[in-house]
Amino acid sequence: MKRVLTLGLAVLTIVFARDNVANGQNTFAARNVAIVDGALEPCRSGELVFSDDFQDASLWNLRNYRDLLEFRFGVELRGRRCLVISREKALDEQSDSPHDTAWALTRALTALPSSRTASEFTLRLTTIGALNYEGKGFDGPSWRGSINWYDAEKSPIDSTPTLFRAATQWNEFTYTGAIPDAARYYELQIGCDAPNIEPGDYLALARVALEMVDSQRPYCNDGEFISDVFSGGAFTWDAATPQGTSVKFQVASTTVDAQGELGEFTPFVGPDGTVDSYYTEPFEVNSDLAIRYRVILTPGATEAPRLLSVRIDDFPVWSVGLHLASSPAEVRLLGDYAQPSRERNAPIRFEISDNTVLRHRSIRVALDDVEVTNRLRYDIRTLRNAQLRFVAPEPLSEGLHRLDIDVENIHENTSHATRYFYVGDAPTTPLVTLRNDGATLIDGEPFFPIGIYGVCKREFNHFDIDEAFKGLRQAGFNFAHSYSMPREDEFLQAAEKYGFKLWSVARFPDERFVEVERHCPAIIAWYLADDTCANTTVSELSDYHQSVKAVDPTRLTVQADPIAAESIVSNYAPYVKGTDAYLPEIYPVRKEGEGSGDRCVAQTIRDVVRARSDAQNANDGPKAIWPIIQYFQGWGWERFPTNEELRAMSFGALAAGGNGITWYTYGGFVEPEKKKFNYGVTTTPERWNNISTLATQINEISPALLEVTQEELQPELEIVAGPQQNLLGEPSVVYLLKRHEEYNYLLVVNSVREQTSVKFRLREAPRCESPEILWQDANVAQCKFDANVLVDTLEPFGVRVYRWK
């Protein structure tokens, strides 16, 4: 299924600003290219109708939540005069929200050209930041970027959201979309709520421009992209070139001396060694050379070529995630100490790899705070990879040891990695692994997690943790997390007593993790990060993951985060390699009122599909996706999902391919004196009955959910009546067929709040007249097979689980 990343009517594209090319010390550079739907394309362009370079503060209305930021117009920064937004005020830890720095700039209502014929727009925003920065979509209309459209009477008619981004070099981020037919005026707003600008960080804006684009001839010029520095090798790419378009490459190369310094690059040349020739077929460059490649994308009048990926020796050197997300050097323990070992004198081995070129001379290593760099010896050394070893100055003592590794790449980007390892015995608990499709295996036996966050002593369980687990077991759950509660032995003992599996926090140094929890058979996964992108860097998550695996190789690692699936680079994509499993936080029902929750099922399906896609694209082995579905009120969310919404979101997550399911949260935290009113599933009998019924039903079909999906058995869907697409532009009905023993199970979920009629053409004829509809509601009519066709009508947010032989 083709994925189009959109925000309202706007398609987010990105245009990179050109840097000077000098000895490889710059990053990638480009001219007139954009990223659209994960591919590099020539940019759409048109008539310029508005431009501003942020020299005059009086032209903009400034708003800043809690006045924590400073706005300085006309400041010189990195070769441009611009607006710099920074935070000089220190954090006030006594505040309820010391980090919150929502901001917005708004330009006065402006008339569109009276003679315009264009029906599309292109908005260009040139920015830079202290860090790679992307708005994550948590903000409402007050703070997010947008173009607000008005009619001839200056009445609002529509709003096109725009996602704010900045990178660590000047870049031009571009948004394209449709202009409403009735629009005669527009109001431009630039802003973002999250992530926050922390003390010492900054964002800067150098130019904003709005163009009207002729949709009949949107492509006017070639696009050019010049890469970062990589080592040579076998060069391949994946591109789509409609008739009249082309993609062609040239390469510039240089040598790398013993100190890791680059020589002068040759000109960009093609296969005959001249600047006038281009590669149009895969080719190879000496792997001892450092290279940059140049790609020219030539469009036709109405169609554009699309560059999807570029690889050297099957190593990605162009992809959306590579160029738009942080990518620190990877450090991996090898040999004896990649797992617990009783060896005290074995060589300590590790590997460093980078997606550009390593500066080998920059490598520094310390063992237990003692520098051992002069003891390093190479086993393998290439431009982008190093496998090294050393022997500790003294025999290693039993217990935890710490390895600190610092390295720099050719762009002077530094990485620091901390790796713990353990001298002693490994735990003897069951081995937890993942099947190729992400299913959890405990000593080789499949396990389907049905879990709940925040299990704790509450009024509901008479402040008895044993009673809590007993009730959860009766309700169909098998998986739990204490979540921010004290880590106590009685919690572990109660979980074991009722056959529960747990995911639990792990950090270093952590004596309880090493001495107690890693020996508890109930724990099957270590929880390394919560709200990952807001609290943890890519390097930090890698530190946690690699260290936990070295001390306890018998279990999985997990993280939780809102995925921001609408973003070009999701929250998960940079962090995929940091854990074995991912829990996308799916909390889409936020407000009271009409229309609230209309997208909740569509968002759930989209988020799970995006998580699975990100995991697959990372090519880092199997990953489990355990969605966290909202069933709470509080923390800024005004209401619980209805039972109808809850069921459709939950079964939608499973039909979209979730390898397990969890819900947030078991207990709330009501503190009237602090004006905190946060509620979980145990706050009313009705809510407990809803979640218990749901967990019990999922538990009942979990043997089928654990079966490997057979793609060749998936039926063909036709939507006969009702919306063809949901509010996010995806098919309105999601489905999944599983075969268990002699039965077929077909999960079907309607993701729109409208009645929808469906027709499924089965790949194999059933051996009965009609399917059983599990847990059939009295209002659901029995349906029959017509040969190998199944027809049914789904109510708004309707859920079906059909079973037949």
Side-chain angles (χ1 to χ4, degrees), residues 46-54 59-60 106-108 110-113 122-125 147 186-190 207-212:
E47 175 191 359
L48 180 68
V49 297
F50 167 74
S51 178
D52 186 71
D53 58 2
F54 299 100
L59 300 177
W60 295 90
T106 306
R107 190 72 180 239
T110 306
L112 289 165
T122 292
L123 176 70
R124 304 177 188 271
L125 186 62
I147 303 177
Y186 68 92
E187 177 188 60
L188 180 62
Q189 179 167 297
I190 304 166
R207 181 174 182 264
V208 60
L210 183 66
E211 300 174 7
M212 303 289 106

Side-chain angles (χ1 to χ4, degrees), residues 359 462 587 673 675 758 789:
R359 274 209 170 107
H462 306 102
Y587 308 155
E673 68 281 2
K675 297 183 179 180
V758 294
V789 174

Side-chain angles (χ1 to χ4, degrees), residues 468-502:
F469 275 106
K470 179 181 179 181
L472 286 166
R473 169 54 74 187
Q474 292 170 345
F477 291 90
N478 59 18
F479 196 42
H481 191 341
S482 60
Y483 192 63
S484 77
M485 297 295 104
R487 293 157 62 187
E488 298 174 339
D489 289 345
E490 66 172 333
F491 185 88
L492 302 180
Q493 292 163 1
E496 286 189 62
K497 177 179 177 180
Y498 291 100
F500 263 74
K501 302 303 179 186
L502 305 172

Side-chain angles (χ1 to χ4, degrees), residues 257 262 344:
D257 66 20
L262 300 180
R344 301 181 62 188

Side-chain angles (χ1 to χ4, degrees), residues 134 136 562-571 582 606-607 610:
E134 178 180 333
K136 295 302 179 185
I563 192 169
E566 74 280 3
S567 302
I568 286 185
V569 178
S570 76
N571 288 346
Y582 177 63
R606 179 197 61 183
D607 286 4
R610 182 64 188 272

Side-chain angles (χ1 to χ4, degrees), residues 31 37 86 154 167 203 218 244 258 310 376 409 426 445 449 536 590 623 647 650 675 776 790 794:
R31 172 186 55 80
D37 193 21
S86 61
K154 299 184 179 180
L203 296 175
V310 182
L376 295 177
N409 70 14
E445 293 298 318
T536 309
R590 189 157 191 142
K623 302 291 179 182
R647 287 183 59 79
S650 300
K675 297 183 179 180
Q776 182 173 346
L790 173 64
L794 307 174

